[in-house]
């Protein structure tokens, strides 16, 4: 029998997960908002270029126990990555259920908390209650944020205590078989702490369904987070994501996003620079082919003076695929000495693909240096000729050139194994 | 067996514009030919055409390389067959490091021979690269830089010769490799080219405006191109004569070509 997005499903899910009252109450409140919010249509400004008329959520349904994957098989390449590199903590979930988990003694001794979100709800309720969808993503942000609040399942919790520099990087892989994925990432870096976290969510091509995720990155005063969120779902998945990073005084957030899969993605990614000295860098890597549709909505909010934001999103497009990047830099009145930059560059590998690039500035302060750039280009024939003139076959030359296009961003991904995986994926997509 | 590059009555257009108007030239492995001529006379056009740039269309004539019709080969096949062009203006390839690029040039050759080949090992490649870079006086840190991006004029030229030393061609066309090089670099780069001549019997077509490089890479023949034709060929003394007298005497001698 099909399970729809109903209040009853919320209760069942919460019961299955043995959740405390407060989380059930949270979910029910979110559900109420979900019910009272209409599905966005192209008449909503933010959804103008992304039509989801054919998306029927109740034909997919939430992920309640019983739907969870019966297959425990982990694709080889994922398993290898989990153990191949120097990692302090690793987590593998399949359809929201943890299958592998490790955290080094060094990190435990430091007091770093790294676990799946459900374990965090049981073992660290004070932290989760304080930070879960309070400062980061809000359930009131839209239909899908509310849906997420009500039906979230799986994902990772990372907490680094005050003045602790996490001894080694952390790595999560969230794999989906049943195509019902509602993962929640919550990262809290307390004052003066540091961490590197790689967060991958992916599925095989056979998975058909929905990823409705939320990512919350809370970077305290003087804290420093390197976060990479890497999406590689099959092309039968819909994806609706809300993501928000917040940075405190003199804090740093280096935020990398890679998007390779799904039939359609709409993601809202917001950087909030809350206190003077806050710095945030957003790097986007995407490659679409076939009939993929990718719509990224980014905001860089300078909520205080003396803040710096730097965004560079690069996409390669093939066949009939389409991408939209809509970026906004906002500066509140009175926030002086602001430096904001946004750029979007698209590499059109076929004439049939289409990329829309819409930068925007909303600046209510005057001592600001905000600039944007966007560019659409093809492979440079002189560059290809140069590579070929050294004996490199055309296909390899094209691959090198496309990889070169992404390389400056790829260098911002801390693990070589993961970089190679994305490179392989890019080469595969070039065809 | 020695390989030859044989150019017969070659005509080349860029768009509708005829640029080369009947070139005949025979360069054999082991020989050095200098090609000189005023700006815009068509020297680089010849070089690009031989290397296989798609914008240059041969409208008549023939080029035989190693017994094969050159125009039947793609640019990459020409290179793997042993023809090399050191560019006058090398393109930059953002995002691809010099090391990665050179490794790929080696691996593409190995894989053309044997599709199963896994490529040169990293330690072996490192040793190889270090040796060649030292020979040409190129700082090792260039290996990690994006190919030609932000390189100075002279650095680009050195790196062209580094590529030449990597692929060990049978015949190399060096298009104004001397321009942009300082005096010491010119000597080092020329010595590098001469070493390839000694070790692999490399033949060379050296395109230049100046006698200077020819003091190091001694030509067996000198040709002068004007307005898309080779108007004069001779021995090494022809270059000295040009240095002394300029092109006017040739313009007078072949004045009718100027109007063509
Ligand atoms: N892409 C192009 N479109 C139109 N004309 C071109 C193009 N490339 C070259 N030409 C013309 O072809 C002629 C020959 O140019 P080429 O670059 O071969 O000269 P060159 O002999 O190498 O000159 P230099 O000594 O200055 O390097 C010139 O008149 C040049 O303007
Ligand atoms: Mg030239």
């Amino acid at each position: 029998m099909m399970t729809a997005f109903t209040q009853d499903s919320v209760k069942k899910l919460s019961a299955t997960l043995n959740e405390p009252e407060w989380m059930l109450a949270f979910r029910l409140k979110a559900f109420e908002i979900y019910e009272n919010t209409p599905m966005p249509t192209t008449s909503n400004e933010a959804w103008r270029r992304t039509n989801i008329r054919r998306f029927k959520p109740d034909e997919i349904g939430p992920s309640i126990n019983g739907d969870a994957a019966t297959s425990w098989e982990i694709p080889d390449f994922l398993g290898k990555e989990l153990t191949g590199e120097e990692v302090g903590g690793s987590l593998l979930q399949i359809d929201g259920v943890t299958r592998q988990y490790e955290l080094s003694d060094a990190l435990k001794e430091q007091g770093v908390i790294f676990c799946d979100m459900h374990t965090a709800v049981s073992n660290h309720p004070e932290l989760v209650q304080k930070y879960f969808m309070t400062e980061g993503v809000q359930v009131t942000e839209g239909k899908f944020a509310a849906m997420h609040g009500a039906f979230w399942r799986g994902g990772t919790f990372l907490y680094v205590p005050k003045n602790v520099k996490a001894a080694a990087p952390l790595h999560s892989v969230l794999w989906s078989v049943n195509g019902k994925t509602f993962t929640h990432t919550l990262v809290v870096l307390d004052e003066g702490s540091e961490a590197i976290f790689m967060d991958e969510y992916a599925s095989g091509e056979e998975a058909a369904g929905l990823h409705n995720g939320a990512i919350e990155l809370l970077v305290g005063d003087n804290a420093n987070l390197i976060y990479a969120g890497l999406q590689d779902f099959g092309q039968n998945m819909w994806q609706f994501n809300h993501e928000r990073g917040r940075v405190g005084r003199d804090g740093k957030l280096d935020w990398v996003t890679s998007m390779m899969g799904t039939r359609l993605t709409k993601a809202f990614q917001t950087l909030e620079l809350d206190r003077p000295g806050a710095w945030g860098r957003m790097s986007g890597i995407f490659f679409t082919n076939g009939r993929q549709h990718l719509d990224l909505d980014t905001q860089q909010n300078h909520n205080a003076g003396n803040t710096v934001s730097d965004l560079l999103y690069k996409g390669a497009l093939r066949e009939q695929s389409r991408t939209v990047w809509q970026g906004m830099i906002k500066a509140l009145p009175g926030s002086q000495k602001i430096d904001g930059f946004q750029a979007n560059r698209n590499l059109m590998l076929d004439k049939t693909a289409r990329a829309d690039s819409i930068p925007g500035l909303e600046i209510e302060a005057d001592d600001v240096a905000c600039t944007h750039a966007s560019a659409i280009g093809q492979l440079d024939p002189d560059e290809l000729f140069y590579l070929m003139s050294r004996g490199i076959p055309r296909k390899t030359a094209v691959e090198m050139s496309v990889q070169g296009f992404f390389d400056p961003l790829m260098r911002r991904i801390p693990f070589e194994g993961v970089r190679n995986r994305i490179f392989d994926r890019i080469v595969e997509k070039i065809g | 067996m020695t390989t030859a590059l044989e150019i017969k009555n070659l005509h080349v257009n860029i768009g509708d514009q005829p640029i080369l108007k009947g070139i005949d030239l025979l360069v054999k492995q082991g020989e050095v030919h200098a090609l000189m001529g005023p700006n815009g006379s068509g020297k680089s056009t010849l070089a690009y055409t031989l290397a296989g740039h798609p914008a240059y269309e041969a409208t008549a004539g023939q080029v035989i390389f190693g017994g094969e019709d050159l125009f039947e080969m793609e640019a990459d096949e020409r290179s793997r067959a042993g023809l090399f062009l050191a560019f006058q203006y090398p393109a930059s390839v953002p995002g691809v490091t010099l090391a990665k690029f050179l490794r790929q040039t080696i691996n593409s050759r190995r894989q053309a021979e044997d599709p199963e080949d896994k490529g040169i090992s990293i330690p072996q490649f490192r040793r190889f690269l270090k040796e060649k870079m030292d020979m040409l006086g190129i700082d090792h840190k260039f290996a990690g830089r994006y190919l030609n991006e932000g390189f100075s004029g002279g650095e680009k030229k050195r790196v062209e010769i580094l590529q030449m030393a990597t692929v060990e061609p049978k015949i190399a066309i060096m298009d104004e490799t001397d321009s942009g090089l300082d005096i010491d670099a010119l000597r080092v780069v020329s010595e590098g080219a001469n070493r390839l001549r000694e070790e692999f019997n490399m033949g060379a077509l050296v395109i230049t405006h100046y006698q200077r490089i020819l003091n190091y890479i001694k030509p067996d023949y000198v040709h002068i191109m004007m307005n898309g034709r080779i108007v004069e060929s001779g021995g090494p003394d022809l270059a000295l004569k040009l240095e002394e007298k300029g092109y006017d005497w040739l313009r007078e001698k072949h004045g009718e070509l100027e109007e063509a």
Side-chain angles (χ1 to χ4, degrees):
Chain A
M1 228 207 63
M2 205 143 63
T3 319
F5 291 96
T6 59
Q7 196 192 53
D8 195 43
S9 297
V10 174
K11 288 177 182 163
K12 256 197 226 159
L13 173 62
S14 189
T16 307
L17 296 168
N18 271 319
E19 282 182 341
E21 261 314 301
W22 58 267
M23 184 48 88
L24 174 62
F26 181 96
R27 288 182 185 274
L28 288 171
K29 216 181 80 207
F31 181 76
E32 214 181 297
I33 297 166
Y34 172 71
E35 273 217 309
N36 293 325
T37 310
M39 224 6 120
T41 66
T42 49
S43 49
N44 299 56
E45 179 53 33
W47 292 80
R48 226 157 63 94
R49 294 167 186 84
T50 294
N51 192 332
I52 56 165
R53 208 166 20 95
R54 294 164 78 175
F55 172 64
K56 303 279 184 281
D58 287 328
E59 290 175 9
I60 299 166
S63 178
I64 300 177
N65 220 15
D67 302 333
T70 46
S71 159
W72 286 49
E73 231 170 278
I74 310 154
D76 277 353
F77 71 95
L78 289 176
K80 201 172 73 198
E81 224 48 72
L82 279 172
T83 50
E85 311 228 13
E86 198 244 328
V87 174
S90 64
L91 185 61
L92 172 72
Q93 292 178 15
I94 301 181
D95 289 331
V97 181
T98 299
R99 305 294 197 190
Q100 271 185 26
Y101 169 67
E102 262 174 90
L103 183 62
S104 73
D105 291 340
L107 286 166
K108 280 182 200 154
E109 274 159 32
Q110 288 187 311
V112 171
I113 302 171
F114 176 74
C115 60
D116 70 59
M117 271 309 303
H118 303 297
T119 304
V121 170
S122 311
N123 297 356
H124 307 284
E126 48 332 305
L127 287 172
V128 177
Q129 266 180 295
K130 184 168 176 200
Y131 294 114
F132 185 86
M133 299 193 87
T134 53
E135 296 182 17
V137 176
Q138 312 287 306
V139 292
T140 49
E141 285 185 53
K143 183 77 170 172
F144 291 102
M147 178 195 252
H148 179 87
F151 295 100
W152 74 271
R153 179 172 193 167
T156 312
F157 179 64
L158 170 62
Y159 173 78
V160 185
K162 202 166 166 174
N163 294 327
V164 166
K165 309 204 183 320
L170 300 139
H171 187 188
S172 281
V173 175
L174 313 176
W175 180 257
S176 178
V177 177
N178 69 8
K180 301 174 186 194
T181 126
F182 300 84
T183 55
H184 193 97
T185 299
L186 175 56
V187 178
V188 181
L189 258 59
D190 216 327
E191 222 181 292
S193 69
E194 278 181 22
I196 299 173
F197 178 30
M198 307 267 316
D199 198 10
E200 298 191 68
Y201 30 114
S203 78
E205 276 308 325
E206 65 287 347
L210 166 65
H211 178 244
N212 172 213
I215 296 172
E216 305 188 88
L217 311 171
L218 306 175
V219 181
D221 292 349
N222 277 307
N224 186 346
L225 174 65
I226 299 176
Y227 173 84
L230 311 168
Q231 181 267 89
D232 193 7
F233 284 117
Q235 293 194 8
N236 292 307
M237 294 285 287
W238 301 83
Q239 182 187 34
F240 304 104
N241 254 32
H242 284 270
E243 310 178 11
R244 177 167 282 112
R246 258 185 201 290
V247 189
R249 181 181 302 271
D250 297 324
K252 279 187 166 176
L253 172 58
D254 197 349
W255 182 1
V256 182
T257 301
S258 149
M259 300 247 181
M260 295 287 146
T262 79
R263 65 183 286 177
L264 180 146
T265 288
K266 172 84 196 183
F268 297 90
Q269 302 183 301
T270 307
L271 172 68
E272 311 273 1
L273 301 171
D274 288 338
R275 297 278 178 277
W279 178 94
R281 182 165 77 172
M282 298 172 82
S283 311
I285 298 167
F286 43 96
F287 193 140
T288 55
N289 67 330
R291 299 196 160 273
Q292 282 186 283
H293 180 109
L294 175 66
D295 180 342
L296 303 177
D297 217 300
T298 65
Q299 282 201 27
Q300 296 149 263
N301 293 336
H302 292 257
N303 304 323
N306 277 301
T307 47
V308 177
S309 74
D310 178 4
L311 177 144
L312 175 59
Y313 275 43
K314 283 186 153 192
L317 294 86
R318 275 194 62 207
E319 297 164 330
Q320 273 83 47
S321 66
R322 178 170 182 204
T323 65
V324 180
W325 168 77
Q326 178 150 226
M328 179 65 76
I329 302 179
K330 283 190 185 173
L332 290 184
S335 342
Q336 304 300 345
K337 300 214 183 316
I338 281 169
D339 186 348
F341 178 75
Q342 54 178 356
N344 171 223
R345 304 193 192 285
N346 294 303
L347 180 62
M348 313 303 288
L349 296 170
D350 287 312
K351 289 200 169 61
T352 42
R354 174 174 164 193
D356 289 323
S357 191
I358 308 138
L361 301 175
E362 234 173 72
I363 308 291
E364 297 177 54
D366 40 59
D367 187 3
V368 295
C370 287
T371 42
H372 57 73
S374 59
I376 287 187
Q378 281 88 35
L379 286 177
D380 179 353
D382 285 328
E383 190 180 312
L384 286 182
F385 171 64
Y386 189 65
L387 294 169
M388 287 179 71
S389 78
R390 299 316 186 221
I392 299 171
R394 178 178 299 277
K395 186 174 183 310
T396 312
V398 169
E399 287 167 9
M400 287 179 89
S401 198
V402 174
Q403 288 189 356
F405 172 73
F406 288 115
D407 192 77
L409 293 177
M410 295 289 286
R411 286 175 179 225
R412 298 178 187 175
I413 296 174
F415 293 171
E416 194 189 356
V418 176
R419 281 199 300 271
N420 288 342
R421 190 144 90 218
I422 297 177
F423 267 154
D424 290 347
R425 200 74 180 83
I426 287 171
V427 166
E428 209 177 288
K429 284 199 152 213
I430 293 169
Chain B
M1 213 196 77
T2 62
T3 300
L5 175 70
E6 196 175 359
I7 304 165
K8 294 179 195 162
N9 187 33
L10 179 63
H11 288 68
V12 171
N13 280 13
I14 302 175
D16 293 335
Q17 187 74 26
I19 309 285
L20 299 186
K21 301 160 186 169
I23 302 286
D24 290 279
L25 192 62
L26 174 63
V27 182
K28 290 185 189 149
Q29 230 182 313
E31 294 177 351
V32 176
H33 293 247
L35 180 62
M36 307 180 80
N39 294 131
S41 56
K43 304 180 298 295
S44 294
T45 302
L46 176 63
Y48 273 118
T49 306
L50 295 174
H53 193 291
Y56 298 80
E57 192 204 345
T59 53
Q62 206 184 15
V63 180
I64 306 291
F65 181 64
E68 309 263 340
D69 182 349
L70 195 71
F71 295 139
E72 291 296 313
M73 300 185 209
E74 291 280 348
D76 58 317
E77 295 174 280
R78 297 179 193 196
S79 165
R80 293 196 303 272
L83 186 65
F84 181 86
L85 168 60
F87 287 85
Q88 182 177 7
Y89 303 111
S92 56
V93 187
V96 177
T97 62
L98 176 60
K100 182 179 171 159
F101 166 69
L102 290 175
R103 214 169 137 222
Q104 189 59 55
T105 64
I106 294 172
N107 289 344
S108 290
R109 286 180 156 67
R110 293 169 59 135
Q111 278 149 10
E113 294 280 307
D114 171 15
E116 300 299 311
D117 187 276
K118 292 278 173 286
I120 185 170
S121 77
I122 291 184
Q124 199 188 346
F125 175 69
R126 284 221 182 98
R127 271 198 307 277
F128 174 88
L129 185 58
K130 185 176 170 299
E131 189 215 322
K132 302 289 182 194
M133 288 180 112
D134 289 345
M135 176 181 89
L136 293 166
I138 298 170
D139 193 318
H140 294 181
K141 70 173 192 287
F142 276 83
R145 283 181 61 177
Y146 290 150
L147 179 56
N148 289 331
E149 205 169 53
F151 288 17
S152 76
E155 287 164 353
K156 283 185 189 168
K157 295 302 171 71
R158 280 187 208 226
V159 165
E160 289 296 291
I161 302 309
L162 175 62
Q163 294 174 41
M164 186 166 95
T166 302
V167 303
E168 297 167 358
K170 296 190 169 110
I171 291 182
I173 303 159
M174 297 164 69
D175 192 357
E176 294 198 29
T177 300
D178 52 347
S179 73
L181 286 179
D182 65 47
I183 294 165
D184 291 337
L186 179 67
R187 184 176 43 77
V188 170
V189 159
S190 304
E191 280 167 5
N194 284 335
R195 227 166 101 175
L196 290 172
R197 295 188 52 224
E198 284 155 27
E199 285 176 31
F200 306 102
N201 196 30
M202 183 182 84
L205 179 63
V206 180
I207 299 173
T208 182
H209 289 291
Y210 305 105
Q211 170 61 33
R212 215 178 42 174
I213 190 172
L214 303 178
N215 292 336
Y216 294 108
I217 308 177
K218 299 213 156 52
D220 303 301
Y221 306 93
V222 175
H223 311 277
I224 295 164
M225 187 183 282
M226 287 181 95
N227 200 11
R229 289 187 178 90
I230 290 179
V231 295
E232 196 82 25
S233 291
D237 48 326
L238 183 54
L240 295 169
K241 186 170 173 189
L242 269 192
E243 188 99 326
E244 193 187 315
K245 298 173 69 174
Y247 289 109
D248 279 350
W249 63 280
L250 280 166
R251 287 204 175 91
E252 277 158 30
K253 189 166 159 191
H254 301 279
E256 76 279 11
L257 291 174
E258 288 295 283
E259 277 104 67

